[in-house]
Structures are given as structure tokens and as C-alpha cells.
């Protein structure tokens, strides 16, 4: 009876060890697992997938030639109680390392290879999706399908179910296993942070706009502007025209309607039949024409004080923009731009 009890207890201990280690292959390995000594040499990049157990990570390391055996790594993890400290990602380690040293590197942030994608300010949504796809390796189709179901993106209520304008431009880390929805949610969350910082919901009524309209103005500022110092003046031009009930006549909105980028907007272009054509329609377009950054958002809420009614970026290369409230000066500035573009 005592011998049977001992056998059962031993079996339970073995099962517990296998479950804790997360690796079945260690059963049958010698009590003292093979291990290298020293810091190793060369470099090798390994990837820890989301949800991987210590045993699975150990096998990955052993297969890559980093550690001598999965068990030696697992023993280090268990001994040092680091089961919850191992995170998914790609890491640079060395070949033929002591298991303890391999664990040290996996716990060192500098060893992690961080994949990043940068989304510049002012990109339109389709351009954002292409940028994200190129930077993450996730198919554009996945991003397109995600924005087609905006309810999944956790947009603010005032976005009215449209993602354009609310995919905040910034640099984002791409974690292993991230989906298109995960990435877009991260961008919307970053927009919410920026919106709080500029007090979007609080200040939009002070410029007689809804939060979405303020984002729309910011997107026009971003598309039209040269340097951030000019943004509040561009905002003033927008509000001065709105106050008169006049058409905004912004080339950026025509370009958005025509899905292109150009400084050469013709009279024929300004006749395009689109709710975004501010040459043909009064007031703001129905929504943002791109995804503005924080400087443009702040400018929309804090316009400069001035009577400017026109502005022209006379030297796009050097981003020189001139403002005026006199039509004669405006025409002069337009001539400067035309000479720059060679369209005189």
C-alpha cells in the first residue's frame, strides 16, 4: 500500500511539472538538462508569439541554437519565477548562450526588436491604410474591411461612424499578432488623447462648431498649410469666410473630391460635382478631408486674430505663405505662385 501511494504521488508531481513548464518533451530528459556556459557569440533573432509558454519559448531558443536545451531554459524561468515576465515580440540573442543569460536578454528591453510604422500628418484615409499595410505586413484588404465596419474601431460618437479624420498621425509600435482592427483602434485611441489635450469637445462650441466640424477645419488647415506657425492664420481665413456666408474656395477640398494632390487646380476642376467642392458649395464640407495632427487641431480651436480673407503659398518648396484682406494683393500672390509653377 505504501509503495502504491508513492507511485501515485510521483505521478502527480510529474504531471504538475509538465503543466507548469508548458513543455511535454522534457519528460524523459535527464535530470540535469544540457546547458551552455558563457555569454555566447554572434546574433540570432527569435520571435515569441502571443500566449507562448515557457516550454514553447525554450523549444524556439533550442531550435535556433541559442540554448542547449528547452529544459535548461524552463528551469531558469521556474527558478526565478519569471513565467509572467516573458512578452511577445522579436528579440536579438546570441548563439550557444547559457540559459540564464538567454533569459536575462529576453527580460532586457534593449534586446527587443521593435517594429514601427510612421503615419505622417495629413494623409487621407486610403493613404493611411496603404502606409499601415506597408509598415505592418497586414494586407490592405484587412484594413479596408475594418474601416468598412467603423463600429469596431471605437470611434468617438461625434465622428458619426466615419474614420476619416480620426486616424491620428504618429509613430506606432507593431506588436506580434496585431490585426488591422487592433492597429486602427490604437490610432483612434491616440486621437482621443490628442482631442483631450487640445480640449476639442470643450472648445469647439467657442468657434461655433461641433467637434467633427472642428476636425474638418483642422484637416483643411493641415492640407493647405505650409508650416505650423501659419495654421492659426489659415483658421482665421476659414472662419472669416464662414462668418460672411461665403464659399471657402479651398483647393484642398477640390483635390480631395478628385482624389489627387496638385498645386495646379484649374477652373474646370473647381466645377467637380462633389459635396467636398467648396468652390461650388457654401460652408464646410461634410467631413474631414484627411487626418490632421495636433498642431492643426489646436489651430482650428485657437484661430489667429486678423481680418485675412485670402492666403497663397507663393513658394511651396520653402513653404512661404502670404496672407491678405485685399483682393488686389491676393491676385498678386496668385501670380507669384503661377510663376513658381510655370503656369503664367
Amino acid at each position: 500500500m505504501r509503495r502504491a501511494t508513492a507511485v501515485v504521488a510521483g505521478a502527480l508531481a510529474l504531471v504538475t511539472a509538465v503543466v507548469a513548464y508548458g513543455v511535454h518533451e522534457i519528460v524523459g530528459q535527464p535530470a540535469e538538462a544540457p546547458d551552455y556556459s558563457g555569454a555566447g557569440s554572434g546574433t540570432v533573432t527569435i520571435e515569441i508569439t502571443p500566449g507562448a509558454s515557457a516550454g514553447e519559448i525554450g523549444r524556439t531558443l533550442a531550435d535556433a541554437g541559442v540554448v542547449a536545451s528547452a529544459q535548461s531554459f524552463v528551469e531558469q524561468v521556474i527558478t526565478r519565477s519569471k513565467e509572467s515576465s516573458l512578452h511577445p515580440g522579436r528579440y536579438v540573442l546570441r548563439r550557444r548562450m547559457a540559459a540564464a543569460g538567454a533569459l536575462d536578454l529576453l527580460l532586457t528591453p534593449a534586446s527587443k526588436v521593435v517594429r514601427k510604422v510612421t503615419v505622417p500628418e495629413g494623409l487621407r484615409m486610403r493613404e493611411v491604410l496603404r502606409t499601415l499595410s506597408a509598415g505592418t505586413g497586414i494586407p490592405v484588404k484587412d484594413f479596408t474591411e475594418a474601416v468598412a465596419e467603423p463600429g469596431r474601431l471605437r470611434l468617438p460618437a461625434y465622428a458619426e461612424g466615419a474614420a476619416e479624420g480620426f486616424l491620428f498621425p504618429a509613430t506606432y509600435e507593431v506588436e506580434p499578432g496585431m490585426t488591422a482592427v487592433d492597429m486602427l483602434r490604437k490610432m483612434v485611441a491616440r486621437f482621443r488623447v490628442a482631442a483631450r489635450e487640445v480640449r476639442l469637445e470643450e472648445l469647439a462650441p467657442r468657434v461655433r462648431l461641433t467637434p467633427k466640424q472642428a476636425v474638418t477645419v483642422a484637416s483643411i488647415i493641415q492640407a493647405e498649410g505650409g508650416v505650423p506657425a501659419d495654421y492659426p492664420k489659415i483658421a482665421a481665413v476659414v472662419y472669416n469666410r464662414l462668418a460672411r456666408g461665403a464659399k471657402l474656395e479651398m483647393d484642398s477640398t477640390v483635390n480631395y473630391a478628385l482624389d489627387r494632390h496638385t498645386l495646379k487646380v484649374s477652373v474646370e476642376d473647381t466645377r467637380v460635382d462633389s459635396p467636398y467642392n467648396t468652390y461650388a458649395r457654401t460652408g464646410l464640407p461634410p467631413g474631414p478631408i484627411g487626418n490632421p495632427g495636433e498642431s492643426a487641431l489646436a489651430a482650428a480651436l485657437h484661430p489667429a486674430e486678423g481680418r485675412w480673407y485670402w492666403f497663397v503659398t507663393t513658394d511651396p518648396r520653402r513653404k512661404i505663405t502670404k496672407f491678405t484682406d485685399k483682393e488686389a494683393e491676393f491676385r498678386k500672390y496668385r501670380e507669384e505662385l503661377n510663376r513658381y509653377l510655370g503656369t503664367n
Side-chain angles (χ1 to χ4, degrees):
M1 179 65 74
R2 284 195 300 271
R3 183 167 178 269
T5 302
V7 169
V8 171
L12 288 173
L14 179 59
V15 169
T16 301
V18 170
V19 171
Y21 291 176
V23 56
H24 299 285
E25 285 83 347
I26 64 173
V27 178
Q29 288 188 3
E32 293 186 6
D35 196 3
Y36 295 127
S37 60
S41 61
T43 60
V44 59
T45 301
I46 65 99
E47 182 171 348
I48 296 178
T49 57
S53 67
E56 290 167 334
I57 296 170
R59 288 198 298 275
T60 298
L61 296 176
D63 291 344
V66 175
V67 298
S69 66
Q71 186 180 2
S72 63
F73 177 79
V74 170
E75 288 175 354
Q76 285 292 321
V77 173
I78 298 298
T79 299
R80 294 163 59 179
S81 300
K82 296 296 183 181
E83 296 92 334
S84 61
S85 301
L86 298 170
H87 302 293
R90 299 173 72 234
Y91 296 82
V92 176
L93 287 81
R94 294 185 287 275
R95 298 185 187 279
R96 301 177 69 84
M97 298 183 68
L103 178 57
D104 288 339
L105 284 184
L106 289 178
L107 299 175
T108 303
S111 300
K112 191 172 184 179
V113 180
V114 180
R115 188 175 188 180
K116 297 181 179 181
V117 57
T118 298
V119 178
E121 296 175 338
L123 293 188
R124 299 168 188 164
M125 184 168 67
R126 277 188 283 185
E127 297 165 337
V128 170
L129 302 189
R130 289 197 294 267
T131 300
L132 292 175
S133 178
T136 64
I138 300 171
V140 173
K141 176 175 173 288
D142 291 5
F143 287 106
T144 302
E145 290 176 351
V147 296
E149 300 181 60
R152 303 170 65 193
L153 305 186
R154 299 172 183 166
L155 292 161
Y158 53 78
E160 299 174 355
E164 184 78 275
F166 302 94
L167 303 177
F168 194 78
T171 297
Y172 296 92
E173 291 189 4
V174 183
E175 297 292 342
M178 284 189 75
T179 66
V181 171
D182 294 333
M183 198 74 226
L184 294 170
R185 282 179 177 174
K186 183 178 281 195
M187 298 185 76
V188 172
R190 181 63 185 82
F191 169 84
R192 288 179 178 274
V193 171
R196 286 196 298 271
E197 289 177 352
V198 301
R199 298 156 61 199
L200 175 65
E201 293 185 66
E202 175 187 347
L203 297 181
R206 298 189 187 183
V207 287
R208 300 179 181 179
L209 300 177
T210 66
K212 182 179 179 180
Q213 288 173 328
V215 176
T216 300
V217 172
S219 71
I220 293 173
I221 294 169
Q222 190 78 69
E224 293 278 352
V227 295
D230 290 331
Y231 293 175
K233 289 183 178 181
I234 297 173
V237 171
V238 171
Y239 295 138
N240 287 340
R241 292 186 182 184
L242 289 175
R244 295 189 192 182
K247 295 172 183 175
L248 293 183
E249 297 186 343
M250 296 288 171
D251 290 355
S252 57
T253 64
V254 172
N255 281 330
Y256 185 80
L258 293 171
D259 192 22
R260 68 180 192 183
H261 295 280
T262 183
L263 293 170
K264 300 179 181 181
V265 175
S266 68
V267 173
E268 184 64 28
D269 293 336
T270 63
R271 295 174 181 146
V272 61
D273 184 15
S274 168
Y276 288 89
N277 181 1
T278 57
Y279 277 87
R281 300 167 185 264
T282 58
L284 292 171
I289 62 169
N291 294 275
E294 192 165 327
S295 294
L297 287 169
L301 300 169
H302 301 280
E305 293 186 10
R307 298 171 59 189
W308 307 290
Y309 198 76
W310 294 277
F311 66 90
V312 179
T313 301
T314 57
D315 188 336
R317 183 177 62 83
R318 293 188 293 165
K319 298 184 177 180
I320 296 175
T321 302
K322 298 180 180 180
F323 296 80
T324 184
D325 61 352
K326 298 178 177 62
E327 187 169 1
E329 284 188 346
F330 163 67
R331 294 186 184 281
K332 174 185 172 184
Y333 297 157
R334 286 291 298 184
E335 289 175 4
E336 287 184 40
L337 174 60
N338 288 335
R339 283 196 297 272
Y340 177 94
L341 298 174
T343 56
N344 271 351

